[in-house]
Amino acid sequence: MSFGKAEADAELAAIDEVVRRVRQSRIYRVAGDIAMMWGGLQFLQFAVTMLLPGQTRDWSWLFVDALGVALTLAMLRRAGPPNPARLARALAAFALFYGFGALWAYGLFHFGGRELAVFWRTLFLFGYSLAGLWFGFGFLAIGLALTGLIFAVYLFAGAAFWPLVTVVTGCGYIVCGLWMRRA
Amino acid sequence: MSGGPDEIIHQPIRLRVMAALTAPGCDAEGLDFSQLKKLTGATDGNLGAHIDHLARAGYVETRKAFVARRPRTTVKATPEGRAAFGRHVAFLKEIIAGG
């Protein structure tokens, strides 16, 4: 059988392409599960806010977010072979996002409740959008689409802001997560 | 130089199937039929025939199960299949290197 360089090159290119797609599919599957989990937490946060009294309610987001970060790290850990460096990077990314967000939201400016809700949600979606530049169009599409919807709710929802922003963010994450798992 | 191309893996669809099943990100339990269909761009019948071919050579094993009442076929590379794919890739790299 004759086998030339061009043929070998084409086969290696086909292998690289399949390996790249398997890797992307795995990233999308894990990211999809994580997005759906954060979508569920949006509803949990809303329920907790409705049920808890006074000041406890104002800080309840801290516990829900801490739960989300812990679950995200657990899902990343389960997703592949043990890789402490990857988990440390994920934890550092969360620390940077929360640190940067806290600096703006509480240090430099004093946002009201609605502005805070929009700011934190869109800050993390901005991270999603940036991730899209490396990990695929899906992240970019989710980041930009949900950011647009959340701003629309902020501008037009009026008294229905809190339930609507919960539904848009929660359902948005869940639908996008399902889409990523199937992509 | 390694002997030559693996005649079973050399076929484009089978090459893609083996590349997917031995990729670093592939689950230990393998990939299901629908994922392989997406990755290879093959039709159901065509992909099924190629997977049978690989299974007869001992390169993959298939497992059929029902998940949520729907049949699901999972395909996994065997150690022999991984070794054969490794040899095939080594052969390709030698060709490129001008060996």
Side-chain angles (χ1 to χ4, degrees), chain A residues 79-110:
Chain A
N83 186 343
R86 187 178 56 199
L87 290 181
R89 273 201 302 272
L91 196 57
F94 275 120
L96 283 171
F97 266 105
Y98 279 108
F100 179 84
L103 181 69
W104 279 90
Y106 306 110
L108 297 174
F109 295 97
H110 297 283

mmCIF file of all heavy atoms in Angstrom, chain A residues 79-110:
data_model
loop_
_atom_site.group_PDB
_atom_site.id
_atom_site.type_symbol
_atom_site.label_atom_id
_atom_site.label_comp_id
_atom_site.label_asym_id
_atom_site.label_seq_id
_atom_site.Cartn_x
_atom_site.Cartn_y
_atom_site.Cartn_z
ATOM 1 N N ALA A 79 -15.174 15.951 37.292
ATOM 2 C CA ALA A 79 -15.226 15.923 35.824
ATOM 3 C C ALA A 79 -14.041 15.253 35.155
ATOM 4 O O ALA A 79 -14.106 14.896 33.997
ATOM 5 C CB ALA A 79 -15.364 17.346 35.295
ATOM 6 N N GLY A 80 -12.951 15.071 35.858
ATOM 7 C CA GLY A 80 -11.795 14.477 35.203
ATOM 8 C C GLY A 80 -10.820 13.918 36.207
ATOM 9 O O GLY A 80 -11.138 13.830 37.394
ATOM 10 N N PRO A 81 -9.653 13.536 35.735
ATOM 11 C CA PRO A 81 -8.647 13.020 36.664
ATOM 12 C C PRO A 81 -8.253 14.098 37.664
ATOM 13 O O PRO A 81 -8.358 15.291 37.355
ATOM 14 C CB PRO A 81 -7.467 12.655 35.750
ATOM 15 C CG PRO A 81 -7.731 13.317 34.455
ATOM 16 C CD PRO A 81 -9.187 13.580 34.356
ATOM 17 N N PRO A 82 -7.815 13.707 38.865
ATOM 18 C CA PRO A 82 -7.462 14.698 39.886
ATOM 19 C C PRO A 82 -6.461 15.722 39.353
ATOM 20 O O PRO A 82 -5.470 15.354 38.732
ATOM 21 C CB PRO A 82 -6.830 13.847 40.996
ATOM 22 C CG PRO A 82 -7.322 12.471 40.757
ATOM 23 C CD PRO A 82 -7.565 12.334 39.290
ATOM 24 N N ASN A 83 -6.772 16.986 39.541
ATOM 25 C CA ASN A 83 -5.899 18.045 39.045
ATOM 26 C C ASN A 83 -5.982 19.233 40.004
ATOM 27 O O ASN A 83 -6.783 20.153 39.805
ATOM 28 C CB ASN A 83 -6.338 18.448 37.620
ATOM 29 C CG ASN A 83 -5.379 19.433 36.988
ATOM 30 O OD1 ASN A 83 -4.570 20.055 37.678
ATOM 31 N ND2 ASN A 83 -5.465 19.579 35.680
ATOM 32 N N PRO A 84 -5.170 19.202 41.074
ATOM 33 C CA PRO A 84 -5.246 20.270 42.092
ATOM 34 C C PRO A 84 -5.003 21.659 41.495
ATOM 35 O O PRO A 84 -5.608 22.635 41.937
ATOM 36 C CB PRO A 84 -4.134 19.906 43.073
ATOM 37 C CG PRO A 84 -3.841 18.458 42.841
ATOM 38 C CD PRO A 84 -4.148 18.195 41.402
ATOM 39 N N ALA A 85 -4.152 21.750 40.461
ATOM 40 C CA ALA A 85 -3.855 23.062 39.864
ATOM 41 C C ALA A 85 -5.111 23.653 39.228
ATOM 42 O O ALA A 85 -5.375 24.850 39.336
ATOM 43 C CB ALA A 85 -2.751 22.926 38.826
ATOM 44 N N ARG A 86 -5.924 22.789 38.566
ATOM 45 C CA ARG A 86 -7.144 23.285 37.921
ATOM 46 C C ARG A 86 -8.126 23.801 38.969
ATOM 47 O O ARG A 86 -8.749 24.848 38.793
ATOM 48 C CB ARG A 86 -7.793 22.154 37.106
ATOM 49 C CG ARG A 86 -8.962 22.631 36.267
ATOM 50 C CD ARG A 86 -9.551 21.521 35.448
ATOM 51 N NE ARG A 86 -9.962 20.396 36.269
ATOM 52 C CZ ARG A 86 -10.177 19.169 35.823
ATOM 53 N NH1 ARG A 86 -9.987 18.887 34.553
ATOM 54 N NH2 ARG A 86 -10.566 18.198 36.626
ATOM 55 N N LEU A 87 -8.260 23.070 40.089
ATOM 56 C CA LEU A 87 -9.175 23.503 41.146
ATOM 57 C C LEU A 87 -8.684 24.797 41.782
ATOM 58 O O LEU A 87 -9.480 25.687 42.087
ATOM 59 C CB LEU A 87 -9.303 22.410 42.205
ATOM 60 C CG LEU A 87 -10.062 21.161 41.769
ATOM 61 C CD1 LEU A 87 -10.134 20.169 42.910
ATOM 62 C CD2 LEU A 87 -11.469 21.506 41.307
ATOM 63 N N ALA A 88 -7.359 24.901 41.950
ATOM 64 C CA ALA A 88 -6.795 26.122 42.552
ATOM 65 C C ALA A 88 -7.053 27.311 41.628
ATOM 66 O O ALA A 88 -7.383 28.414 42.093
ATOM 67 C CB ALA A 88 -5.298 25.940 42.788
ATOM 68 N N ARG A 89 -6.935 27.095 40.309
ATOM 69 C CA ARG A 89 -7.201 28.189 39.358
ATOM 70 C C ARG A 89 -8.662 28.608 39.401
ATOM 71 O O ARG A 89 -8.989 29.793 39.348
ATOM 72 C CB ARG A 89 -6.825 27.751 37.934
ATOM 73 C CG ARG A 89 -5.371 28.001 37.581
ATOM 74 C CD ARG A 89 -5.188 28.055 36.069
ATOM 75 N NE ARG A 89 -5.637 26.823 35.435
ATOM 76 C CZ ARG A 89 -4.859 25.752 35.251
ATOM 77 N NH1 ARG A 89 -3.612 25.783 35.654
ATOM 78 N NH2 ARG A 89 -5.340 24.666 34.667
ATOM 79 N N ALA A 90 -9.557 27.609 39.519
ATOM 80 C CA ALA A 90 -10.995 27.924 39.579
ATOM 81 C C ALA A 90 -11.303 28.724 40.843
ATOM 82 O O ALA A 90 -12.046 29.716 40.803
ATOM 83 C CB ALA A 90 -11.810 26.637 39.545
ATOM 84 N N LEU A 91 -10.708 28.301 41.950
ATOM 85 C CA LEU A 91 -10.919 29.009 43.216
ATOM 86 C C LEU A 91 -10.366 30.434 43.119
ATOM 87 O O LEU A 91 -10.999 31.398 43.572
ATOM 88 C CB LEU A 91 -10.227 28.235 44.352
ATOM 89 C CG LEU A 91 -10.628 28.596 45.773
ATOM 90 C CD1 LEU A 91 -12.119 28.442 45.989
ATOM 91 C CD2 LEU A 91 -9.862 27.739 46.779
ATOM 92 N N ALA A 92 -9.191 30.565 42.498
ATOM 93 C CA ALA A 92 -8.583 31.894 42.339
ATOM 94 C C ALA A 92 -9.469 32.769 41.444
ATOM 95 O O ALA A 92 -9.624 33.970 41.701
ATOM 96 C CB ALA A 92 -7.190 31.758 41.723
ATOM 97 N N ALA A 93 -10.064 32.173 40.417
ATOM 98 C CA ALA A 93 -10.950 32.941 39.525
ATOM 99 C C ALA A 93 -12.152 33.475 40.308
ATOM 100 O O ALA A 93 -12.530 34.642 40.172
ATOM 101 C CB ALA A 93 -11.412 32.073 38.357
ATOM 102 N N PHE A 94 -12.740 32.617 41.159
ATOM 103 C CA PHE A 94 -13.868 33.071 41.977
ATOM 104 C C PHE A 94 -13.422 34.193 42.913
ATOM 105 O O PHE A 94 -14.127 35.194 43.083
ATOM 106 C CB PHE A 94 -14.436 31.911 42.799
ATOM 107 C CG PHE A 94 -15.447 31.079 42.050
ATOM 108 C CD1 PHE A 94 -15.238 29.733 41.839
ATOM 109 C CD2 PHE A 94 -16.616 31.653 41.564
ATOM 110 C CE1 PHE A 94 -16.163 28.963 41.153
ATOM 111 C CE2 PHE A 94 -17.562 30.899 40.874
ATOM 112 C CZ PHE A 94 -17.328 29.547 40.676
ATOM 113 N N ALA A 95 -12.248 34.020 43.536
ATOM 114 C CA ALA A 95 -11.747 35.034 44.480
ATOM 115 C C ALA A 95 -11.550 36.368 43.757
ATOM 116 O O ALA A 95 -11.912 37.429 44.280
ATOM 117 C CB ALA A 95 -10.445 34.559 45.112
ATOM 118 N N LEU A 96 -11.016 36.309 42.544
ATOM 119 C CA LEU A 96 -10.800 37.545 41.778
ATOM 120 C C LEU A 96 -12.129 38.204 41.419
ATOM 121 O O LEU A 96 -12.289 39.419 41.549
ATOM 122 C CB LEU A 96 -10.010 37.234 40.501
ATOM 123 C CG LEU A 96 -8.510 37.010 40.684
ATOM 124 C CD1 LEU A 96 -7.881 36.506 39.395
ATOM 125 C CD2 LEU A 96 -7.825 38.316 41.100
ATOM 126 N N PHE A 97 -13.091 37.386 40.962
ATOM 127 C CA PHE A 97 -14.393 37.947 40.590
ATOM 128 C C PHE A 97 -15.078 38.591 41.793
ATOM 129 O O PHE A 97 -15.565 39.718 41.724
ATOM 130 C CB PHE A 97 -15.301 36.865 39.995
ATOM 131 C CG PHE A 97 -15.219 36.812 38.504
ATOM 132 C CD1 PHE A 97 -14.539 35.802 37.863
ATOM 133 C CD2 PHE A 97 -15.823 37.791 37.725
ATOM 134 C CE1 PHE A 97 -14.445 35.756 36.486
ATOM 135 C CE2 PHE A 97 -15.736 37.768 36.352
ATOM 136 C CZ PHE A 97 -15.049 36.740 35.724
ATOM 137 N N TYR A 98 -15.098 37.853 42.909
ATOM 138 C CA TYR A 98 -15.774 38.401 44.095
ATOM 139 C C TYR A 98 -15.011 39.613 44.638
ATOM 140 O O TYR A 98 -15.624 40.602 45.059
ATOM 141 C CB TYR A 98 -15.925 37.319 45.174
ATOM 142 C CG TYR A 98 -17.107 36.409 44.913
ATOM 143 C CD1 TYR A 98 -16.929 35.098 44.500
ATOM 144 C CD2 TYR A 98 -18.411 36.876 45.079
ATOM 145 C CE1 TYR A 98 -18.019 34.259 44.255
ATOM 146 C CE2 TYR A 98 -19.504 36.054 44.820
ATOM 147 C CZ TYR A 98 -19.292 34.748 44.415
ATOM 148 O OH TYR A 98 -20.372 33.944 44.161
ATOM 149 N N GLY A 99 -13.679 39.555 44.607
ATOM 150 C CA GLY A 99 -12.882 40.684 45.096
ATOM 151 C C GLY A 99 -13.098 41.919 44.238
ATOM 152 O O GLY A 99 -13.358 43.018 44.743
ATOM 153 N N PHE A 100 -13.031 41.724 42.917
ATOM 154 C CA PHE A 100 -13.236 42.828 41.986
ATOM 155 C C PHE A 100 -14.651 43.390 42.130
ATOM 156 O O PHE A 100 -14.851 44.613 42.206
ATOM 157 C CB PHE A 100 -13.006 42.316 40.558
ATOM 158 C CG PHE A 100 -13.194 43.342 39.489
ATOM 159 C CD1 PHE A 100 -12.167 44.208 39.147
ATOM 160 C CD2 PHE A 100 -14.405 43.450 38.808
ATOM 161 C CE1 PHE A 100 -12.349 45.162 38.161
ATOM 162 C CE2 PHE A 100 -14.591 44.404 37.820
ATOM 163 C CZ PHE A 100 -13.563 45.252 37.496
ATOM 164 N N GLY A 101 -15.616 42.493 42.218
ATOM 165 C CA GLY A 101 -17.009 42.922 42.346
ATOM 166 C C GLY A 101 -17.247 43.686 43.633
ATOM 167 O O GLY A 101 -17.905 44.733 43.649
ATOM 168 N N ALA A 102 -16.693 43.178 44.744
ATOM 169 C CA ALA A 102 -16.892 43.829 46.044
ATOM 170 C C ALA A 102 -16.259 45.213 46.055
ATOM 171 O O ALA A 102 -16.825 46.163 46.611
ATOM 172 C CB ALA A 102 -16.293 42.959 47.150
ATOM 173 N N LEU A 103 -15.105 45.341 45.411
ATOM 174 C CA LEU A 103 -14.429 46.638 45.345
ATOM 175 C C LEU A 103 -15.323 47.684 44.684
ATOM 176 O O LEU A 103 -15.471 48.808 45.168
ATOM 177 C CB LEU A 103 -13.117 46.475 44.560
ATOM 178 C CG LEU A 103 -12.270 47.729 44.414
ATOM 179 C CD1 LEU A 103 -11.690 48.132 45.759
ATOM 180 C CD2 LEU A 103 -11.134 47.495 43.417
ATOM 181 N N TRP A 104 -15.942 47.284 43.571
ATOM 182 C CA TRP A 104 -16.810 48.225 42.860
ATOM 183 C C TRP A 104 -18.147 48.434 43.559
ATOM 184 O O TRP A 104 -18.614 49.559 43.699
ATOM 185 C CB TRP A 104 -17.060 47.728 41.436
ATOM 186 C CG TRP A 104 -15.927 48.066 40.530
ATOM 187 C CD1 TRP A 104 -14.828 47.314 40.282
ATOM 188 C CD2 TRP A 104 -15.754 49.282 39.783
ATOM 189 N NE1 TRP A 104 -13.983 47.965 39.421
ATOM 190 C CE2 TRP A 104 -14.527 49.180 39.101
ATOM 191 C CE3 TRP A 104 -16.512 50.438 39.641
ATOM 192 C CZ2 TRP A 104 -14.040 50.194 38.278
ATOM 193 C CZ3 TRP A 104 -16.032 51.446 38.813
ATOM 194 C CH2 TRP A 104 -14.802 51.320 38.155
ATOM 195 N N ALA A 105 -18.745 47.319 43.993
ATOM 196 C CA ALA A 105 -20.119 47.402 44.499
ATOM 197 C C ALA A 105 -20.203 47.996 45.895
ATOM 198 O O ALA A 105 -21.194 48.628 46.242
ATOM 199 C CB ALA A 105 -20.744 46.016 44.492
ATOM 200 N N TYR A 106 -19.162 47.774 46.723
ATOM 201 C CA TYR A 106 -19.242 48.250 48.104
ATOM 202 C C TYR A 106 -18.160 49.289 48.415
ATOM 203 O O TYR A 106 -18.342 50.109 49.311
ATOM 204 C CB TYR A 106 -19.118 47.079 49.087
ATOM 205 C CG TYR A 106 -20.117 45.989 48.819
ATOM 206 C CD1 TYR A 106 -19.718 44.750 48.318
ATOM 207 C CD2 TYR A 106 -21.480 46.193 49.048
ATOM 208 C CE1 TYR A 106 -20.634 43.751 48.054
ATOM 209 C CE2 TYR A 106 -22.406 45.201 48.783
ATOM 210 C CZ TYR A 106 -21.969 43.980 48.286
ATOM 211 O OH TYR A 106 -22.881 43.005 48.019
ATOM 212 N N GLY A 107 -17.012 49.209 47.709
ATOM 213 C CA GLY A 107 -15.904 50.102 48.014
ATOM 214 C C GLY A 107 -16.020 51.434 47.291
ATOM 215 O O GLY A 107 -16.059 52.503 47.914
ATOM 216 N N LEU A 108 -16.100 51.398 45.982
ATOM 217 C CA LEU A 108 -16.086 52.637 45.201
ATOM 218 C C LEU A 108 -17.476 53.241 45.042
ATOM 219 O O LEU A 108 -17.646 54.450 45.090
ATOM 220 C CB LEU A 108 -15.479 52.356 43.823
ATOM 221 C CG LEU A 108 -14.017 51.907 43.844
ATOM 222 C CD1 LEU A 108 -13.554 51.506 42.464
ATOM 223 C CD2 LEU A 108 -13.130 53.025 44.365
ATOM 224 N N PHE A 109 -18.462 52.378 44.818
ATOM 225 C CA PHE A 109 -19.827 52.881 44.651
ATOM 226 C C PHE A 109 -20.726 52.169 45.646
ATOM 227 O O PHE A 109 -20.357 51.131 46.177
ATOM 228 C CB PHE A 109 -20.319 52.603 43.233
ATOM 229 C CG PHE A 109 -19.540 53.356 42.191
ATOM 230 C CD1 PHE A 109 -18.497 52.743 41.509
ATOM 231 C CD2 PHE A 109 -19.828 54.687 41.918
ATOM 232 C CE1 PHE A 109 -17.763 53.430 40.563
ATOM 233 C CE2 PHE A 109 -19.090 55.383 40.971
ATOM 234 C CZ PHE A 109 -18.053 54.758 40.300
ATOM 235 N N HIS A 110 -21.862 52.747 45.905
ATOM 236 C CA HIS A 110 -22.805 52.101 46.816
ATOM 237 C C HIS A 110 -24.093 51.864 46.058
ATOM 238 O O HIS A 110 -24.986 52.696 46.043
ATOM 239 C CB HIS A 110 -23.009 52.959 48.063
ATOM 240 C CG HIS A 110 -21.727 53.111 48.832
ATOM 241 N ND1 HIS A 110 -21.225 52.118 49.631
ATOM 242 C CD2 HIS A 110 -20.812 54.109 48.856
ATOM 243 C CE1 HIS A 110 -20.069 52.508 50.143
ATOM 244 N NE2 HIS A 110 -19.789 53.711 49.673
#
